[in-house]
Amino acid sequence: MIFEQLSAGGCKSYLVGCTDTCAAALIDPEIGLIDRYLGLASRHGLRVRYLVDTHTHADHFSATRGLARQLGVPVAMHRMSPAPFVDLRLDDGDMLLVGKLRLQVLHTPGHTRDSMCLRIEDRVCTGDTLLIGATGRTDLPSGDPDALHDSLFNHLLRLDPALLVFPAHDYKGRVNSTIGEEIASNPRLQVRDRTQFSEMMRNLNLSMPSHLTEALRSNMNGAKTVAQMLAEAAAAVPFMSLAELKTRAESCPDDLIILDVRERDAYEEGHVPGAKQLPRGQLELRVNQDLPDPTRRIVVYCEFGRISTLATATLRELGFQRAVALDGGMKAWREAGYPLKAGREA
Ligand SMILES: [Fe+2]
């Protein structure tokens, strides 16, 4: 078996491959590591056959949906997953065949209703059900401390104590432990009484994970994150540097349209001399009157360089094939000490 653990900010994901057949599964992949997963799979000569999330993640952005589209392979999750894009809904006791490997599903609700662990030969990927020296929290959507107690004490911890535990999180750089080690030394597992265990879990008072709402929106609906929207727009448009715009605006201003997509107040406070104002929110409504010639070169800018990237991608889609985004925004322009004009253009 090929078994690779990848870490990103405390989140762990796994590439599990069958050496005989070269089939592989990716468990809990994260969008920031997509190129690494694919690079690693090709380095080992593996073909990814399944994308598996052990549960609906609230603290990182799952790559399963995006990779499923890219690779044409199914997303597998527990059947209770709220995500509509899950291709393969699994139940307790089901197995996924990855070449000659068997990935055995254990439904272990508690951290979330759709949490599952995957037993693979001598090890178990425990998701956020069991962590090294801790357990998953139960205060996020669909969490339930009583269910977690049951999943741990009546299910997971009854497995062979020698099984290696590979969790979905570890913030201290540890790689794995075993079921036996966790039973012996995991502080939360020393509280065996169900009522006391639930009481302890209810009183952890953990802070909410950053990006909670965006992670749930993205992982439950397969929606894009804001960063993905920006990255896709940035990949679809060319950019112009601040210095290049300054030179061109001074030497041959008639060769290009400089388009400020901020609101009027910001524009009148100070804009690139000669710039025309068309707020991003009105772009599609006014584009036909304000930009009648689709063959003109258009340089688009905003305050920070993000909204202008989206606006440029929209203009390109609308047929303005020479629209480019400014690399940077008015903030960088001001900081560079480049010329500004206040009020309206004549
Ligand atoms: Fe989680």
Side-chain angles (χ1 to χ4, degrees):
M1 168 168 57
I2 291 161
F3 190 85
E4 292 272 9
Q5 181 185 70
L6 293 94
S7 299
C11 296
K12 289 181 181 288
S13 44
Y14 299 91
L15 174 69
V16 187
C18 167
T19 31
D20 285 349
T21 63
C22 298
L26 261 175
I27 301 173
D28 290 330
E30 213 255 322
I31 50 173
L33 297 181
I34 286 181
D35 287 342
R36 278 188 65 197
Y37 299 127
L38 298 179
L40 206 52
S42 47
R43 197 203 294 164
H44 286 297
L46 295 171
R47 162 103 192 261
V48 176
R49 292 288 185 182
Y50 291 108
L51 301 157
V52 188
D53 267 322
T54 54
H55 63 285
T56 302
H57 298 283
D59 55 359
H60 77 247
F61 301 110
S62 171
T64 51
R65 179 104 195 266
L67 276 168
R69 280 205 208 102
Q70 206 173 325
L71 303 175
V73 299
V75 174
M77 280 186 83
H78 187 264
R79 66 179 179 82
M80 305 291 273
S81 163
F85 55 83
V86 175
D87 303 295
L88 203 52
R89 293 183 174 271
L90 304 169
D91 216 331
D92 186 63
D94 288 358
M95 274 195 314
L96 280 181
L97 267 52
V98 179
K100 292 182 181 170
L101 295 174
R102 271 37 185 172
L103 273 57
Q104 171 114 37
V105 174
L106 289 89
H107 183 212
T108 50
H111 171 61
T112 61
R113 197 182 299 131
D114 62 358
S115 284
M116 60 180 188
C117 298
L118 291 164
R119 183 177 173 169
I120 314 156
E121 299 190 343
D122 62 346
R123 59 200 63 199
V124 56
C125 288
T126 54
D128 281 357
T129 300
L130 178 61
L131 308 178
I132 300 172
T135 65
R137 61 198 291 172
T138 53
D139 59 336
L140 298 179
S142 88
D144 177 345
D146 287 331
L148 182 64
H149 182 274
D150 189 50
S151 293
L152 287 167
F153 291 99
N154 298 325
H155 209 166
L156 190 60
L157 301 178
R158 292 192 176 178
L159 299 178
D160 180 356
L163 276 179
L164 302 172
V165 168
F166 285 92
H169 284 289
D170 191 81
Y171 298 95
K172 295 181 180 167
R174 293 166 296 192
V175 174
N176 72 287
S177 67
T178 65
I179 295 279
E181 282 166 32
E182 292 309 315
I183 292 173
S185 64
N186 186 321
R188 287 194 199 159
L189 303 184
Q190 309 314 309
V191 186
R192 290 171 168 269
D193 177 76
R194 185 192 183 100
T195 315
Q196 284 176 11
F197 180 86
S198 298
E199 185 75 10
M200 169 185 69
M201 292 306 294
R202 286 199 176 91
N203 291 311
L204 290 177
N205 294 323
L206 301 166
S207 55
M208 283 292 121
S210 43
H211 312 302
L212 172 72
T213 52
E214 192 182 25
L216 289 175
R217 179 173 60 71
S218 167
N219 297 338
M220 290 165 80
N221 306 322
K224 287 177 188 168
T225 63
V226 175
Q228 270 178 301
M229 296 276 287
L230 287 169
E232 285 177 15
V237 303
F239 287 82
M240 183 180 282
S241 72
L242 297 171
E244 182 82 17
L245 173 59
K246 178 173 175 284
T247 310
R248 284 176 184 265
E250 284 166 358
S251 60
C252 37
D254 296 338
D255 283 0
L256 76 170
I257 296 172
I258 306 169
L259 194 67
D260 186 322
V261 292
R262 299 173 304 158
E263 296 301 316
R264 180 170 293 281
D265 295 356
Y267 173 85
E268 290 186 357
E269 238 170 73
H271 56 264
V272 176
K276 185 179 173 68
Q277 192 238 354
L278 202 183
R280 171 68 185 93
Q282 290 180 35
L283 187 63
E284 291 86 345
L285 301 177
R286 285 174 39 190
V287 70
N288 291 336
Q289 301 135 249
D290 289 16
L291 300 169
D293 182 356
T295 66
R296 292 291 304 276
R297 187 172 200 179
I298 305 170
V299 186
V300 187
Y301 73 85
C302 63
E303 186 62 21
F304 299 107
R306 298 194 194 104
I307 295 300
S308 54
T309 305
L310 295 171
T312 307
T314 302
L315 284 174
R316 288 235 159 201
E317 274 186 67
L318 289 170
F320 295 87
Q321 298 213 352
R322 297 180 67 208
V324 305
L326 188 64
D327 183 19
M330 268 318 273
K331 185 171 180 290
W333 181 271
R334 280 193 300 270
E335 284 166 4
Y338 288 169
L340 289 168
K341 186 168 180 219
R344 299 181 185 198
E345 289 288 327

